[in-house]
């Protein structure tokens, strides 16, 4: 027999029916009936009170990325809803499954410019997979089931539910809804067997094949299938920023990171290979550089779940659509067991060149101020390369991505496509709830930390064990580097007058330590990792350090700069 309950209560039960156990949010007037219903579900729905709705969205992203589940945030209407927009856009471009539930004015007042009314559906339609306004209590269970199915199926992404106040208080005969099909929505396209065979033929005939590994491998849980494919065909690979942990850093076929600040070898070899196989990546401009000069010598195979990505940026010779967990397995059956010893060894000269010109100076300096790279590598080594890496955006992000090492899957959480400063701390909070069994280390700069500094309050209240490494150079470092390289050292509004971060941490009851010399670095890292709960480690690093190598904006990938 159906039970008659309020729309708000139906929302809580529908979330529980979807397996939700953790959510992030901030209450307000238009969502108050739902928060009132949540009061009776505190034993089953763990709500994390953030200090700003942007923090809720980023925390939901961090939770989703590390756990593989859908992240959920619950906010009010008007500014509460619009504060989540950056997180929704970030989740869309980085394919992160989150569901944002926002309060809305009653249906009878829509369009009247009522207090805290905004057209959230209109605002979020271009930056979400689906945006829907719930106007009746009877639609709640259906809308939630549809939202979760869309968010996590196919290429994942954000979904927005705009929950009117009248729908929250109306009564409904509740019945849970399960959904695994939507007419006209095809999350996993059929794989063309002819294209799959064509791809195998190209790979079998190639002398210099190269694989580009994207986040799609992680999202599709295809890490083992990728490894089997690479090892059978003996093909070296490069990884995108978001795909870094799809294969262990020390795997012999892993040749490093692609992109503007990636490793020299994989970027140069992109323009030398004869067959380029892109798996679950979208040919972002930070990876391709100048499209007019990108991999023109190669036959290009693109394996992706999203048909809209095919030929969007790079024209390909073969398109293999489908879930890469399945398509990689099928392709592996068709490719020959091979050896490309000379081709793989040809990467070594570039690895040595990069080590001598960049890595040795950055990671193993003998004198002078601390470098970002050495701080990152020291933390990675102290965690036995098993921690989850979260980054903010900027030089800290690129240094962390370059010098952290990965032994486990789903080990990097960063804002790739949108490049959102302020992402790091809230995303790290979410990650600690998504995988409480793992150490979570977040690297950030002094600029990014201050963009969502208020989330230290969430860490304080939750005692979230976030290990925060602040690499303080008193600059907006990434912009300053560009100003140094391309704007004649005209540092226009990039120097930062910073507060005393130790006092701020103490105010939030977070253990902290400042380190200014490499002699103290190891001891400080040990203190951080051995302290239960959160910790803020401020590393005072060289002020005008640069992230190298670098492909200049619009440059060619095989013409990376090794020095500023």
């Amino acid at each position: 027999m159906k039970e008659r309950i309020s729309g708000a209560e139906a929302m809580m039960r529908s979330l529980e029916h979807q397996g939700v156990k953790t959510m992030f949010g901030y209450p307000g007037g238009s969502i108050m009936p739902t928060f009132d219903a949540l009061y009776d579900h505190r034993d089953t729905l763990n709500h994390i009170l953030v200090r700003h709705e942007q923090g809720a969205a980023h925390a939901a992203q961090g939770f989703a990325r590390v756990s593989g589940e859908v992240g959920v945030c619950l906010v009010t209407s008007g500014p509460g809803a619009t504060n989540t927009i950056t997180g929704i856009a970030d989740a869309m471009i980085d394919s992160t499954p989150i569901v944002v539930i926002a309060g809305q004015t009653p249906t009878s007042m829509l369009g009247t410019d009522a207090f805290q009314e905004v057209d959230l559906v209109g605002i979020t339609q271009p930056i979400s997979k689906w945006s829907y306004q719930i106007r009746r209590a009877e639609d709640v269970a259906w809308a939630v089931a549809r939202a979760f199915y869309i968010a996590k199926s196919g290429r994942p992404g954000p979904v927005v539910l705009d929950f009117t106040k009248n729908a929250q208080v109306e009564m409904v005969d509740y019945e849970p809804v399960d959904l695994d099909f939507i007419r006209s929505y095809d999350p996993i396209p059929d794989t063309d067997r002819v294209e799959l065979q064509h791809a195998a033929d190209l790979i079998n005939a190639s002398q210099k094949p190269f694989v580009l590994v994207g986040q799609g491998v992680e999202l599709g849980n295809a890490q083992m299938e990728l490894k089997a494919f690479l090892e059978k065909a003996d093909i070296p690979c490069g990884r995108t920023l978001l795909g870094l942990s799809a294969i262990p850093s020390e795997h012999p076929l892993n040749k490093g990171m692609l992109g503007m600040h990636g490793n020299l070898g994989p970027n140069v070899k992109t323009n030398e290979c004869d067959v380029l196989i892109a798996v679950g990546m979208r040919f972002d401009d930070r990876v391709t550089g100048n499209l007019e000069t990108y991999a023109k010598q190669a036959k290009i195979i693109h394996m992706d779940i999203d048909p809209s990505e095919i030929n969007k940026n790079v024209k390909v010779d073969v398109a293999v659509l489908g879930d890469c967990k399945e398509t990689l397995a099928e392709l592996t059956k068709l490719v020959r067991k091979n050896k490309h010893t000379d081709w793989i060894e040809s990467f070594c000269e570039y690895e040595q060149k990069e080590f001598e010109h960049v890595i040795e100076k950055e990671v193993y300096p003998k004198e002078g101020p601390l470098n970002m790279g050495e701080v990152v590598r020291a933390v990675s080594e102290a965690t036995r390369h098993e921690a989850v890496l979260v980054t903010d955006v900027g030089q800290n992000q690129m240094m962390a991505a370059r010098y952290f090492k990965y032994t486990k899957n789903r080990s990097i959480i960063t804002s790739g496509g949108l490049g959102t400063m302020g992402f790091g701390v809230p995303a790290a909070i979410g990650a600690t709830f998504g995988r409480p069994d793992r150490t979570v280390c977040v690297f950030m700069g002094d600029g990014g930390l201050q963009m969502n500094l208020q989330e230290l309050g969430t860490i304080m209240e939750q005692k979230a064990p976030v290990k925060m490494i602040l690499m303080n150079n008193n600059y907006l470092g990434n912009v300053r580097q560009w100003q140094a390289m391309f704007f004649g050292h005209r540092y226009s509004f990039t120097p930062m007058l910073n507060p005393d971060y130790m006092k701020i941490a103490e105010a939030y009851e977070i253990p902290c330590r400042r380190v200014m010399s490499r002699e103290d670095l190891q001891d400080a890292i040990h203190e951080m990792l051995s302290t239960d709960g959160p910790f803020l480690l401020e590393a005072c690093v060289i002020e005008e350090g640069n992230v190298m190598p670098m492909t200049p904006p619009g440059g060619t990938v095989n013409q990376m700069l090794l020095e500023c």
Side-chain angles (χ1 to χ4, degrees):
M1 182 177 178
K2 297 178 182 178
E3 185 178 358
R4 194 159 181 81
I5 58 176
S6 70
E9 176 66 20
M11 175 62 74
M12 296 299 102
R13 297 193 188 185
S14 296
L15 290 174
E16 290 174 341
H17 187 67
Q18 292 297 324
V20 175
K21 295 181 174 61
T22 302
M23 56 203 306
F24 307 87
Y26 203 94
S30 290
I31 198 67
M32 203 173 296
T34 299
F35 269 91
D36 184 65
L38 177 60
Y39 190 83
D40 294 325
H41 291 259
R42 288 171 295 167
D43 291 339
T44 53
L45 290 172
N46 183 26
H47 176 269
I48 310 304
L49 177 66
V50 297
R51 299 305 187 261
H52 189 282
E53 292 88 353
Q54 182 181 352
H58 292 328
Q61 287 179 271
F63 177 91
R65 293 265 284 275
V66 77
S67 68
E69 301 174 12
V70 177
V72 180
C73 59
L74 183 65
V75 299
T76 195
S77 64
T82 57
N83 282 343
T84 67
I85 297 300
T86 298
I88 294 169
D90 195 295
M92 185 66 177
I93 200 167
D94 281 352
S95 304
T96 306
I98 65 171
V99 172
V100 176
I101 303 161
Q104 181 58 278
T105 55
T107 301
S108 61
M109 299 178 68
L110 291 173
T112 67
D113 291 331
F115 179 66
Q116 292 190 335
E117 178 195 0
V118 295
D119 181 5
L120 185 62
V121 171
I123 292 170
T124 57
Q125 276 182 337
I127 55 170
S128 64
K129 284 189 72 177
W130 186 52
S131 186
Y132 180 76
Q133 189 172 76
I134 303 174
R135 296 187 176 191
R136 306 181 304 173
E138 62 192 78
D139 294 333
V140 170
W142 169 86
V144 171
R146 188 180 178 100
F148 275 76
Y149 175 62
I150 291 173
K152 65 187 177 183
S153 60
R155 180 179 180 175
V159 169
V160 176
L161 294 179
D162 196 33
F163 198 9
T164 61
K165 198 167 186 178
N166 62 284
Q168 297 175 52
V169 298
E170 289 171 359
M171 303 301 287
V172 62
D173 293 327
Y174 174 74
E175 186 174 11
V177 173
D178 294 299
L179 189 151
D180 60 6
F181 171 78
I182 298 174
R183 190 173 62 182
S184 79
Y185 173 56
D186 185 16
I188 304 178
D190 293 332
T191 302
D192 187 328
R193 302 294 303 185
V194 173
E195 290 287 274
L196 197 63
Q197 185 63 58
H198 190 186
D201 291 342
L202 286 176
I203 294 168
N204 287 333
S206 68
Q207 300 300 311
K208 298 178 178 180
F210 187 44
V211 174
L212 311 183
V213 177
Q215 187 194 198
V217 173
E218 294 267 57
L219 296 175
N221 296 311
Q223 300 91 346
M224 296 304 296
E225 287 77 10
L226 171 72
K227 184 170 176 285
F229 168 67
L230 294 174
E231 291 177 351
K232 181 179 181 182
D234 198 35
I235 305 178
C237 71
R239 305 158 299 161
T240 67
L241 175 64
L242 296 181
L244 284 172
S245 62
I247 185 170
S249 299
E250 297 301 320
H251 193 286
L253 292 174
N254 166 41
K255 296 304 174 184
M257 185 170 78
L258 300 157
M260 177 177 282
H261 289 295
N263 295 109
L264 184 60
N267 280 286
V268 170
K269 293 300 180 178
T270 296
N271 276 15
E272 290 184 16
C273 66
D274 57 9
V275 173
L276 190 68
I277 307 115
V279 186
M281 55 88 71
R282 58 187 180 85
F283 289 110
D284 175 72
D285 62 285
R286 289 295 175 97
V287 167
T288 65
N290 185 353
L291 288 172
E292 297 300 318
T293 59
Y294 182 75
K296 293 302 179 183
Q297 81 293 338
K299 295 290 186 181
I300 299 178
I301 301 166
H302 194 174
M303 305 178 70
D304 209 283
I305 201 169
D306 186 353
S308 70
E309 291 296 343
I310 305 299
N311 296 318
K312 185 178 80 174
N313 295 327
V314 173
K315 183 172 176 55
V316 304
D317 297 278
V318 180
V320 179
L321 291 173
D323 184 336
C324 65
K325 188 174 183 66
E326 298 175 3
T327 56
L328 276 171
E330 291 301 310
L331 185 60
T332 303
K333 296 176 184 176
L334 298 174
V335 298
R336 291 196 299 265
K337 188 169 181 60
N338 214 330
K339 279 292 180 185
H340 296 102
T341 305
D342 292 345
W343 167 237
I344 292 170
E345 288 181 352
S346 71
F347 283 77
C348 294
E349 65 172 294
Y350 296 100
E351 293 169 358
Q352 184 62 30
K353 187 176 182 180
E354 183 178 350
F355 181 83
E356 292 174 356
H357 287 268
V358 178
I359 297 173
E360 187 173 31
K361 299 173 185 177
E362 179 64 38
V363 180
Y364 307 106
K366 295 179 174 58
E367 57 185 8
L370 280 170
N371 289 335
M372 290 190 190
E374 68 176 310
V375 174
V376 172
R377 180 56 61 87
V379 173
S380 183
E381 290 176 348
T383 61
R384 300 182 299 280
H385 312 303
E386 295 178 349
V388 174
L389 169 67
V390 185
T391 84
D392 210 89
V393 167
Q395 287 185 318
N396 65 90
Q397 176 186 35
M398 293 296 100
M399 287 292 193
R402 281 179 55 81
Y403 297 114
F404 211 80
K405 289 189 176 182
Y406 313 90
T407 58
K408 297 182 177 181
N409 302 136
R410 292 187 177 271
S411 290
I412 180 167
I413 302 172
T414 190
S415 174
L418 201 63
T420 304
M421 289 181 67
F423 175 88
V425 169
I429 294 170
T432 64
F433 285 95
R435 286 298 302 270
D437 57 317
R438 298 188 64 184
T439 299
V440 175
C441 297
V442 55
F443 289 84
M444 52 207 170
D446 39 318
L449 171 58
Q450 293 187 80
M451 283 200 171
N452 270 314
L453 187 68
Q454 76 285 338
E455 296 310 325
L456 294 179
T458 307
I459 292 175
M460 174 180 67
E461 181 173 354
Q462 299 296 330
K463 296 180 173 54
V466 182
K467 307 304 182 183
M468 296 171 279
I469 302 94
L470 167 62
M471 297 196 287
N472 188 357
N473 59 8
N474 297 306
Y475 275 101
L476 297 176
N478 208 48
V479 181
R480 183 213 54 77
Q481 178 171 335
W482 283 45
Q483 289 172 336
M485 297 179 71
F486 310 118
F487 293 87
H489 291 83
R490 290 160 59 87
Y491 294 162
S492 180
F493 299 98
T494 47
M496 296 280 286
L497 178 61
N498 281 315
D500 186 333
Y501 291 108
M502 297 295 96
K503 291 181 179 178
I504 290 174
E506 290 167 4
Y508 282 104
E509 301 177 3
I510 296 173
C512 57
R513 180 168 172 178
R514 178 182 291 127
V515 59
M516 303 183 71
S517 68
R518 61 183 48 85
E519 290 75 21
D520 297 329
L521 180 60
Q522 293 293 342
D523 185 66
I525 292 171
H526 175 75
E527 181 182 351
M528 174 181 72
L529 296 176
S530 60
T531 299
D532 290 335
F535 195 96
L536 175 64
L537 172 61
E538 179 184 6
C540 299
V541 297
I542 185 170
E543 289 197 345
E544 295 192 39
N546 295 312
V547 187
M548 305 303 286
M550 180 180 185
T551 302
T556 299
V557 291
N558 61 338
Q559 296 177 350
M560 299 189 80
L561 302 176
L562 294 176
E563 298 176 352
C564 181

